PDB file of all heavy atoms in Angstrom:
ATOM      1  N   TYR A  14      16.534  -3.457  -1.393  1.00  0.00           N
ATOM      2  CA  TYR A  14      15.379  -2.612  -1.694  1.00  0.00           C
ATOM      3  C   TYR A  14      14.243  -3.515  -2.176  1.00  0.00           C
ATOM      4  O   TYR A  14      14.442  -4.357  -3.058  1.00  0.00           O
ATOM      5  CB  TYR A  14      15.728  -1.596  -2.784  1.00  0.00           C
ATOM      6  CG  TYR A  14      16.924  -0.736  -2.457  1.00  0.00           C
ATOM      7  CD1 TYR A  14      18.216  -1.153  -2.788  1.00  0.00           C
ATOM      8  CD2 TYR A  14      16.775   0.486  -1.816  1.00  0.00           C
ATOM      9  CE1 TYR A  14      19.322  -0.387  -2.488  1.00  0.00           C
ATOM     10  CE2 TYR A  14      17.889   1.272  -1.515  1.00  0.00           C
ATOM     11  CZ  TYR A  14      19.156   0.836  -1.853  1.00  0.00           C
ATOM     12  OH  TYR A  14      20.257   1.608  -1.543  1.00  0.00           O
ATOM     13  N   GLY A  15      13.062  -3.327  -1.592  1.00  0.00           N
ATOM     14  CA  GLY A  15      11.962  -4.193  -1.983  1.00  0.00           C
ATOM     15  C   GLY A  15      10.607  -3.613  -1.657  1.00  0.00           C
ATOM     16  O   GLY A  15      10.488  -2.471  -1.198  1.00  0.00           O
ATOM     17  N   ASP A  16       9.564  -4.411  -1.907  1.00  0.00           N
ATOM     18  CA  ASP A  16       8.178  -3.973  -1.733  1.00  0.00           C
ATOM     19  C   ASP A  16       7.546  -4.631  -0.518  1.00  0.00           C
ATOM     20  O   ASP A  16       7.749  -5.823  -0.258  1.00  0.00           O
ATOM     21  CB  ASP A  16       7.340  -4.349  -2.965  1.00  0.00           C
ATOM     22  CG  ASP A  16       7.803  -3.618  -4.218  1.00  0.00           C
ATOM     23  OD1 ASP A  16       8.369  -2.516  -4.066  1.00  0.00           O
ATOM     24  OD2 ASP A  16       7.599  -4.155  -5.316  1.00  0.00           O
ATOM     25  N   VAL A  17       6.774  -3.824   0.213  1.00  0.00           N
ATOM     26  CA  VAL A  17       5.933  -4.319   1.295  1.00  0.00           C
ATOM     27  C   VAL A  17       4.513  -3.879   0.994  1.00  0.00           C
ATOM     28  O   VAL A  17       4.270  -2.711   0.670  1.00  0.00           O
ATOM     29  CB  VAL A  17       6.395  -3.763   2.662  1.00  0.00           C
ATOM     30  CG1 VAL A  17       5.357  -4.031   3.733  1.00  0.00           C
ATOM     31  CG2 VAL A  17       7.735  -4.371   3.058  1.00  0.00           C
ATOM     32  N   ILE A  18       3.567  -4.794   1.071  1.00  0.00           N
ATOM     33  CA  ILE A  18       2.163  -4.489   0.785  1.00  0.00           C
ATOM     34  C   ILE A  18       1.407  -4.387   2.101  1.00  0.00           C
ATOM     35  O   ILE A  18       1.408  -5.326   2.904  1.00  0.00           O
ATOM     36  CB  ILE A  18       1.531  -5.584  -0.105  1.00  0.00           C
ATOM     37  CG1 ILE A  18       2.316  -5.702  -1.416  1.00  0.00           C
ATOM     38  CG2 ILE A  18       0.070  -5.258  -0.400  1.00  0.00           C
ATOM     39  CD1 ILE A  18       1.848  -6.828  -2.313  1.00  0.00           C
ATOM     40  N   ASP A  19       0.749  -3.231   2.338  1.00  0.00           N
ATOM     41  CA  ASP A  19       0.037  -3.050   3.605  1.00  0.00           C
ATOM     42  C   ASP A  19      -1.376  -3.623   3.528  1.00  0.00           C
ATOM     43  O   ASP A  19      -1.779  -4.208   2.507  1.00  0.00           O
ATOM     44  CB  ASP A  19       0.017  -1.570   4.012  1.00  0.00           C
ATOM     45  CG  ASP A  19      -0.804  -0.691   3.059  1.00  0.00           C
ATOM     46  OD1 ASP A  19      -1.627  -1.224   2.284  1.00  0.00           O
ATOM     47  OD2 ASP A  19      -0.629   0.542   3.110  1.00  0.00           O
ATOM     48  N   ALA A  20      -2.129  -3.425   4.611  1.00  0.00           N
ATOM     49  CA  ALA A  20      -3.468  -4.017   4.711  1.00  0.00           C
ATOM     50  C   ALA A  20      -4.439  -3.456   3.678  1.00  0.00           C
ATOM     51  O   ALA A  20      -5.452  -4.095   3.358  1.00  0.00           O
ATOM     52  CB  ALA A  20      -4.027  -3.803   6.118  1.00  0.00           C
ATOM     53  N   ASN A  21      -4.148  -2.276   3.137  1.00  0.00           N
ATOM     54  CA  ASN A  21      -5.011  -1.658   2.123  1.00  0.00           C
ATOM     55  C   ASN A  21      -4.499  -1.912   0.704  1.00  0.00           C
ATOM     56  O   ASN A  21      -4.913  -1.232  -0.232  1.00  0.00           O
ATOM     57  CB  ASN A  21      -5.109  -0.152   2.375  1.00  0.00           C
ATOM     58  CG  ASN A  21      -5.770   0.158   3.701  1.00  0.00           C
ATOM     59  OD1 ASN A  21      -6.742  -0.491   4.088  1.00  0.00           O
ATOM     60  ND2 ASN A  21      -5.243   1.143   4.416  1.00  0.00           N
ATOM     61  N   SER A  22      -3.592  -2.878   0.572  1.00  0.00           N
ATOM     62  CA  SER A  22      -3.007  -3.272  -0.720  1.00  0.00           C
ATOM     63  C   SER A  22      -2.144  -2.186  -1.342  1.00  0.00           C
ATOM     64  O   SER A  22      -1.897  -2.196  -2.549  1.00  0.00           O
ATOM     65  CB  SER A  22      -4.110  -3.695  -1.706  1.00  0.00           C
ATOM     66  OG  SER A  22      -4.806  -4.818  -1.200  1.00  0.00           O
ATOM     67  N   ASN A  23      -1.683  -1.230  -0.516  1.00  0.00           N
ATOM     68  CA  ASN A  23      -0.751  -0.212  -0.999  1.00  0.00           C
ATOM     69  C   ASN A  23       0.668  -0.769  -0.956  1.00  0.00           C
ATOM     70  O   ASN A  23       1.045  -1.455  -0.003  1.00  0.00           O
ATOM     71  CB  ASN A  23      -0.838   1.048  -0.142  1.00  0.00           C
ATOM     72  CG  ASN A  23      -2.197   1.705  -0.221  1.00  0.00           C
ATOM     73  OD1 ASN A  23      -2.752   1.847  -1.303  1.00  0.00           O
ATOM     74  ND2 ASN A  23      -2.741   2.104   0.928  1.00  0.00           N
ATOM     75  N   ILE A  24       1.449  -0.458  -1.977  1.00  0.00           N
ATOM     76  CA  ILE A  24       2.823  -0.942  -2.048  1.00  0.00           C
ATOM     77  C   ILE A  24       3.771   0.133  -1.514  1.00  0.00           C
ATOM     78  O   ILE A  24       3.689   1.301  -1.904  1.00  0.00           O
ATOM     79  CB  ILE A  24       3.200  -1.303  -3.496  1.00  0.00           C
ATOM     80  CG1 ILE A  24       2.319  -2.450  -4.004  1.00  0.00           C
ATOM     81  CG2 ILE A  24       4.674  -1.703  -3.584  1.00  0.00           C
ATOM     82  CD1 ILE A  24       2.551  -2.804  -5.455  1.00  0.00           C
ATOM     83  N   HIS A  25       4.643  -0.262  -0.612  1.00  0.00           N
ATOM     84  CA  HIS A  25       5.632   0.645  -0.044  1.00  0.00           C
ATOM     85  C   HIS A  25       7.034   0.154  -0.394  1.00  0.00           C
ATOM     86  O   HIS A  25       7.326  -1.035  -0.282  1.00  0.00           O
ATOM     87  CB  HIS A  25       5.486   0.714   1.482  1.00  0.00           C
ATOM     88  CG  HIS A  25       4.147   1.213   1.942  1.00  0.00           C
ATOM     89  ND1 HIS A  25       3.883   2.542   2.145  1.00  0.00           N
ATOM     90  CD2 HIS A  25       3.004   0.550   2.209  1.00  0.00           C
ATOM     91  CE1 HIS A  25       2.626   2.680   2.537  1.00  0.00           C
ATOM     92  NE2 HIS A  25       2.076   1.488   2.587  1.00  0.00           N
ATOM     93  N   GLN A  26       7.883   1.098  -0.809  1.00  0.00           N
ATOM     94  CA  GLN A  26       9.281   0.773  -1.083  1.00  0.00           C
ATOM     95  C   GLN A  26      10.064   0.818   0.244  1.00  0.00           C
ATOM     96  O   GLN A  26      10.033   1.821   0.940  1.00  0.00           O
ATOM     97  CB  GLN A  26       9.878   1.777  -2.067  1.00  0.00           C
ATOM     98  CG  GLN A  26       9.153   1.869  -3.395  1.00  0.00           C
ATOM     99  CD  GLN A  26       9.282   0.602  -4.219  1.00  0.00           C
ATOM    100  OE1 GLN A  26      10.338  -0.016  -4.252  1.00  0.00           O
ATOM    101  NE2 GLN A  26       8.199   0.211  -4.873  1.00  0.00           N
ATOM    102  N   ILE A  27      10.728  -0.270   0.561  1.00  0.00           N
ATOM    103  CA  ILE A  27      11.435  -0.396   1.826  1.00  0.00           C
ATOM    104  C   ILE A  27      12.920  -0.637   1.564  1.00  0.00           C
ATOM    105  O   ILE A  27      13.293  -1.344   0.629  1.00  0.00           O
ATOM    106  CB  ILE A  27      10.859  -1.567   2.664  1.00  0.00           C
ATOM    107  CG1 ILE A  27       9.401  -1.302   3.014  1.00  0.00           C
ATOM    108  CG2 ILE A  27      11.685  -1.789   3.936  1.00  0.00           C
ATOM    109  CD1 ILE A  27       9.189  -0.098   3.904  1.00  0.00           C
ATOM    110  N   THR A  28      13.764  -0.032   2.417  1.00  0.00           N
ATOM    111  CA  THR A  28      15.209  -0.249   2.347  1.00  0.00           C
ATOM    112  C   THR A  28      15.681  -0.925   3.622  1.00  0.00           C
ATOM    113  O   THR A  28      15.288  -0.525   4.728  1.00  0.00           O
ATOM    114  CB  THR A  28      15.958   1.082   2.179  1.00  0.00           C
ATOM    115  OG1 THR A  28      15.446   1.779   1.044  1.00  0.00           O
ATOM    116  CG2 THR A  28      17.452   0.849   1.983  1.00  0.00           C
ATOM    117  N   VAL A  29      16.528  -1.931   3.467  1.00  0.00           N
ATOM    118  CA  VAL A  29      17.055  -2.679   4.603  1.00  0.00           C
ATOM    119  C   VAL A  29      18.568  -2.758   4.475  1.00  0.00           C
ATOM    120  O   VAL A  29      19.083  -3.001   3.382  1.00  0.00           O
ATOM    121  CB  VAL A  29      16.472  -4.116   4.643  1.00  0.00           C
ATOM    122  CG1 VAL A  29      17.077  -4.910   5.799  1.00  0.00           C
ATOM    123  CG2 VAL A  29      14.963  -4.071   4.740  1.00  0.00           C
ATOM    124  N   ARG A  30      19.269  -2.516   5.580  1.00  0.00           N
ATOM    125  CA  ARG A  30      20.714  -2.717   5.585  1.00  0.00           C
ATOM    126  C   ARG A  30      21.037  -4.071   6.194  1.00  0.00           C
ATOM    127  O   ARG A  30      20.510  -4.410   7.260  1.00  0.00           O
ATOM    128  CB  ARG A  30      21.435  -1.622   6.378  1.00  0.00           C
ATOM    129  CG  ARG A  30      22.948  -1.675   6.188  1.00  0.00           C
ATOM    130  CD  ARG A  30      23.636  -0.483   6.802  1.00  0.00           C
ATOM    131  NE  ARG A  30      23.780  -0.615   8.239  1.00  0.00           N
ATOM    132  CZ  ARG A  30      24.323   0.306   9.028  1.00  0.00           C
ATOM    133  NH1 ARG A  30      24.744   1.438   8.496  1.00  0.00           N
ATOM    134  NH2 ARG A  30      24.421   0.122  10.326  1.00  0.00           N
ATOM    135  N   THR A  31      21.868  -4.847   5.532  1.00  0.00           N
ATOM    136  CA  THR A  31      22.213  -6.179   6.014  1.00  0.00           C
ATOM    137  C   THR A  31      23.725  -6.338   6.109  1.00  0.00           C
ATOM    138  O   THR A  31      24.491  -5.488   5.654  1.00  0.00           O
ATOM    139  CB  THR A  31      21.669  -7.270   5.061  1.00  0.00           C
ATOM    140  OG1 THR A  31      22.357  -7.167   3.804  1.00  0.00           O
ATOM    141  CG2 THR A  31      20.175  -7.118   4.846  1.00  0.00           C
ATOM    142  N   GLU A  32      24.146  -7.446   6.694  1.00  0.00           N
ATOM    143  CA  GLU A  32      25.562  -7.796   6.754  1.00  0.00           C
ATOM    144  C   GLU A  32      26.051  -8.088   5.335  1.00  0.00           C
ATOM    145  O   GLU A  32      25.392  -8.798   4.577  1.00  0.00           O
ATOM    146  CB  GLU A  32      25.729  -9.017   7.668  1.00  0.00           C
ATOM    147  CG  GLU A  32      27.140  -9.170   8.226  1.00  0.00           C
ATOM    148  CD  GLU A  32      28.061  -9.890   7.250  1.00  0.00           C
ATOM    149  OE1 GLU A  32      27.586 -10.801   6.552  1.00  0.00           O
ATOM    150  OE2 GLU A  32      29.256  -9.528   7.188  1.00  0.00           O
ATOM    151  N   GLY A  33      27.188  -7.536   4.972  1.00  0.00           N
ATOM    152  CA  GLY A  33      27.643  -7.562   3.582  1.00  0.00           C
ATOM    153  C   GLY A  33      27.901  -8.937   3.010  1.00  0.00           C
ATOM    154  O   GLY A  33      27.849  -9.124   1.791  1.00  0.00           O
ATOM    155  N   ARG A  34      28.185  -9.907   3.850  1.00  0.00           N
ATOM    156  CA  ARG A  34      28.501 -11.241   3.342  1.00  0.00           C
ATOM    157  C   ARG A  34      27.307 -12.196   3.388  1.00  0.00           C
ATOM    158  O   ARG A  34      27.460 -13.383   3.134  1.00  0.00           O
ATOM    159  CB  ARG A  34      29.673 -11.821   4.130  1.00  0.00           C
ATOM    160  CG  ARG A  34      30.982 -11.064   3.918  1.00  0.00           C
ATOM    161  CD  ARG A  34      32.110 -11.618   4.755  1.00  0.00           C
ATOM    162  NE  ARG A  34      33.363 -10.920   4.476  1.00  0.00           N
ATOM    163  CZ  ARG A  34      33.711  -9.760   5.036  1.00  0.00           C
ATOM    164  NH1 ARG A  34      32.888  -9.179   5.898  1.00  0.00           N
ATOM    165  NH2 ARG A  34      34.856  -9.190   4.733  1.00  0.00           N
ATOM    166  N   ASN A  35      26.160 -11.658   3.741  1.00  0.00           N
ATOM    167  CA  ASN A  35      24.971 -12.515   3.828  1.00  0.00           C
ATOM    168  C   ASN A  35      23.755 -11.739   3.329  1.00  0.00           C
ATOM    169  O   ASN A  35      22.817 -11.470   4.074  1.00  0.00           O
ATOM    170  CB  ASN A  35      24.769 -12.991   5.267  1.00  0.00           C
ATOM    171  CG  ASN A  35      23.675 -14.036   5.385  1.00  0.00           C
ATOM    172  OD1 ASN A  35      23.390 -14.762   4.424  1.00  0.00           O
ATOM    173  ND2 ASN A  35      23.064 -14.112   6.553  1.00  0.00           N
ATOM    174  N   ILE A  36      23.779 -11.346   2.050  1.00  0.00           N
ATOM    175  CA  ILE A  36      22.733 -10.503   1.482  1.00  0.00           C
ATOM    176  C   ILE A  36      21.684 -11.370   0.780  1.00  0.00           C
ATOM    177  O   ILE A  36      22.039 -12.283   0.022  1.00  0.00           O
ATOM    178  CB  ILE A  36      23.335  -9.511   0.462  1.00  0.00           C
ATOM    179  CG1 ILE A  36      24.484  -8.720   1.103  1.00  0.00           C
ATOM    180  CG2 ILE A  36      22.275  -8.554  -0.057  1.00  0.00           C
ATOM    181  CD1 ILE A  36      25.211  -7.825   0.125  1.00  0.00           C
ATOM    182  N   PRO A  37      20.382 -11.116   1.007  1.00  0.00           N
ATOM    183  CA  PRO A  37      19.338 -11.836   0.270  1.00  0.00           C
ATOM    184  C   PRO A  37      19.501 -11.636  -1.234  1.00  0.00           C
ATOM    185  O   PRO A  37      20.095 -10.657  -1.693  1.00  0.00           O
ATOM    186  CB  PRO A  37      18.048 -11.206   0.781  1.00  0.00           C
ATOM    187  CG  PRO A  37      18.393 -10.619   2.109  1.00  0.00           C
ATOM    188  CD  PRO A  37      19.820 -10.180   1.988  1.00  0.00           C
ATOM    189  N   ARG A  38      18.962 -12.556  -2.010  1.00  0.00           N
ATOM    190  CA  ARG A  38      19.076 -12.478  -3.470  1.00  0.00           C
ATOM    191  C   ARG A  38      17.893 -11.722  -4.074  1.00  0.00           C
ATOM    192  O   ARG A  38      16.790 -11.713  -3.521  1.00  0.00           O
ATOM    193  CB  ARG A  38      19.137 -13.886  -4.067  1.00  0.00           C
ATOM    194  CG  ARG A  38      20.381 -14.676  -3.685  1.00  0.00           C
ATOM    195  CD  ARG A  38      20.403 -16.022  -4.394  1.00  0.00           C
ATOM    196  NE  ARG A  38      19.256 -16.827  -4.056  1.00  0.00           N
ATOM    197  CZ  ARG A  38      19.186 -17.610  -2.980  1.00  0.00           C
ATOM    198  NH1 ARG A  38      20.207 -17.672  -2.138  1.00  0.00           N
ATOM    199  NH2 ARG A  38      18.099 -18.328  -2.749  1.00  0.00           N
ATOM    200  N   ARG A  39      18.122 -11.117  -5.227  1.00  0.00           N
ATOM    201  CA  ARG A  39      17.058 -10.440  -5.966  1.00  0.00           C
ATOM    202  C   ARG A  39      15.958 -11.442  -6.322  1.00  0.00           C
ATOM    203  O   ARG A  39      16.233 -12.566  -6.757  1.00  0.00           O
ATOM    204  CB  ARG A  39      17.637  -9.831  -7.238  1.00  0.00           C
ATOM    205  CG  ARG A  39      16.629  -9.075  -8.073  1.00  0.00           C
ATOM    206  CD  ARG A  39      17.296  -8.488  -9.301  1.00  0.00           C
ATOM    207  NE  ARG A  39      16.330  -7.827 -10.148  1.00  0.00           N
ATOM    208  CZ  ARG A  39      16.620  -7.256 -11.314  1.00  0.00           C
ATOM    209  NH1 ARG A  39      17.872  -7.269 -11.755  1.00  0.00           N
ATOM    210  NH2 ARG A  39      15.676  -6.665 -12.030  1.00  0.00           N
ATOM    211  N   GLY A  40      14.704 -11.028  -6.120  1.00  0.00           N
ATOM    212  CA  GLY A  40      13.567 -11.898  -6.395  1.00  0.00           C
ATOM    213  C   GLY A  40      13.139 -12.747  -5.220  1.00  0.00           C
ATOM    214  O   GLY A  40      12.068 -13.373  -5.246  1.00  0.00           O
ATOM    215  N   GLU A  41      13.939 -12.750  -4.171  1.00  0.00           N
ATOM    216  CA  GLU A  41      13.641 -13.558  -2.989  1.00  0.00           C
ATOM    217  C   GLU A  41      12.563 -12.886  -2.135  1.00  0.00           C
ATOM    218  O   GLU A  41      12.432 -11.660  -2.114  1.00  0.00           O
ATOM    219  CB  GLU A  41      14.926 -13.736  -2.179  1.00  0.00           C
ATOM    220  CG  GLU A  41      14.834 -14.721  -1.037  1.00  0.00           C
ATOM    221  CD  GLU A  41      16.175 -14.909  -0.330  1.00  0.00           C
ATOM    222  OE1 GLU A  41      17.200 -14.451  -0.865  1.00  0.00           O
ATOM    223  OE2 GLU A  41      16.178 -15.509   0.761  1.00  0.00           O
TER     224      GLU A  41
END
């Protein structure tokens, strides 16, 4: 779960499903 900033500087909460043994780290 993380933030994506669009062209108007609005922040959107995004959810991504990944492979369980190769998950990005918090803060990355």
Side-chain angles (χ1 to χ4, degrees):
Y14 304 88
D16 295 333
V17 168
I18 302 175
D19 66 18
N21 296 320
S22 298
N23 297 315
I24 297 176
H25 299 271
Q26 302 293 321
I27 297 296
T28 305
V29 178
R30 190 172 79 182
T31 66
E32 201 276 324
R34 294 177 177 83
N35 188 26
I36 306 174
R38 294 184 300 275
R39 181 179 177 182
E41 189 177 348

